[in-house]
Amino acid sequence: MSEFQRQGPLDGYSLQQRAVESLADAGVQVGLAEIRYEGALNLRARRDDPAAREALSKALGRPLPATTKLEAKEDCVVLGLGPDEWLFLCPDPKASAASLAAELSAVFVAVTDTSDNYVTLVVSGPRARDLLAKGVPIDLHESAFPPASCAQTLLSKAEVLLYRGPDAEDDRITLLCRPSFAQYVFTWLKDAAQEYGLAILTG
């Protein structure tokens, strides 16, 4: 019996076959890459339960970020989605969920694996902000969307979650969207990037 091969909504776009290593190789100003099958755990802890929030922060090994902020450590990122909600992005969601459940057994914290609810794309390059600004209503200027920022917004007609890493020199903006909108978002980015040129990068 053949082994089951996992497929994503962008597999038909042959991202890997058309990938290049750098924008310099392609001679363009915008790069686009997919991070395939990134783990995502939705975390909830009540605002009026400081013990649960402290326990969650300790289990994650970092402070709980405020809304619109992120905390990064090694290969994992925590995004603040609301006053009592966070998204934990990690390479191994099953192991992370089991570890959190064990450490948080004495408090009330909801840990839900939402990995299949997102497709992750990374927009990079000197014109990455200009490209996204064509479709999102929020201000992406450095003063309004600095490093370690995140925002839930719209890209044209699709709901997306955007975030920047903590490094000010890093021009990448990561975009998470629903799998059902992934092909729409990819096509929109590809079409909107025509004036800058678009290179499909290795993830």
Side-chain angles (χ1 to χ4, degrees), residues 29-103:
Q29 296 177 301
V30 175
L32 180 63
E34 180 187 10
I35 301 178
R36 293 174 64 81
Y37 313 131
E38 182 175 39
L41 302 179
N42 183 273
L43 310 173
R44 302 294 295 265
R46 290 173 48 172
R47 284 173 281 181
D48 59 356
D49 190 346
R53 298 167 76 92
E54 182 178 353
L56 178 56
S57 177
K58 183 178 179 180
L60 292 172
R62 71 209 75 190
L64 294 176
T67 305
T68 76
K69 298 296 181 182
L70 69 80
E71 288 285 343
K73 184 178 180 182
E74 298 174 350
D75 293 332
C76 300
V77 173
V78 183
L79 306 176
L81 302 185
D84 59 0
E85 182 180 10
W86 302 268
L87 190 67
F88 181 43
L89 305 177
C90 53
D92 190 342
K94 289 185 178 180
S96 295
S99 176
L100 288 173
E103 293 190 57

Side-chain angles (χ1 to χ4, degrees), residues 181-199:
F181 279 96
Q183 294 181 6
Y184 169 83
V185 169
F186 174 82
T187 302
W188 187 96
L189 291 169
K190 180 181 176 182
D191 291 345
Q194 287 186 13
E195 67 175 295
Y196 314 125
L198 176 69

Side-chain angles (χ1 to χ4, degrees), residues 148-169:
S149 293
C150 66
Q152 298 180 81
T153 185
L154 293 173
L155 178 72
S156 189
K157 299 179 181 180
E159 293 183 359
V160 297
L161 173 60
L162 303 178
Y163 74 85
R164 287 188 64 192
D167 185 357
E169 301 300 320

Side-chain angles (χ1 to χ4, degrees), residues 14-21 200-203:
S14 302
L15 288 173
Q16 298 304 314
Q17 284 80 354
R18 294 187 285 126
V20 298
E21 290 299 328
I200 307 301
L201 306 177
T202 53

